[in-house]
Amino acid sequence: QVQLVESGGGLVQAGGSLRLSCAASGTIFSIETMGWYRQAPGNLRELVAAISRRGTINYADSVKGRFTISRDNAKNTVYLQMNSLKPDDTAVYYCNADIKSTAILPLRNYWGQGTQVTVSS
């Protein structure tokens, strides 16, 4: 079994910062892409940022220059540093990862339970 556990969400004023963490645990052989998605009420879930095992990074245009994704492969953990937060960043943020539990099994996609980020104006 594999679990993704997020932490670090909360309430912050516009212009403030938050740092999200997501740790993968369980039977893990390797983790490929790790990323963060968000979903605001009434909206579809959207990609915020993703990072490959080798460090290739993609950001949504709306967060470029404000958010930074990073990962610690030794700790099976991905981070999202969010600066200059705006009310439009308010959403539930979900961690996502492609994980192989053994060398034989194929990659499987996992989601965390989500963490609320609320940015007040």
Side-chain angles (χ1 to χ4, degrees), residues 70-116:
S70 61
R71 64 190 280 175
D72 185 332
N73 289 332
K75 296 181 179 179
N76 292 334
T77 299
V78 63
Y79 307 95
L80 186 68
Q81 178 67 43
M82 304 184 293
N83 299 329
S84 303
L85 282 161
K86 305 175 182 179
D88 284 350
D89 295 318
T90 295
V92 178
Y93 283 69
Y94 296 91
C95 178
N96 181 268
D98 292 321
I99 298 174
K100 288 174 65 73
S101 292
T102 72
I104 297 175
L105 291 175
L107 279 172
R108 180 177 169 182
N109 188 257
Y110 293 88
W111 289 95
Q113 80 285 358
T115 185
Q116 177 70 46

Side-chain angles (χ1 to χ4, degrees), residues 10-16 18 67 82 84-91 93 116-121:
L11 173 64
V12 65
Q13 288 188 331
L18 284 173
F67 291 9
M82 304 184 293
S84 303
L85 282 161
K86 305 175 182 179
D88 284 350
D89 295 318
T90 295
Y93 283 69
Q116 177 70 46
V117 172
T118 302
V119 184
S120 63
S121 58

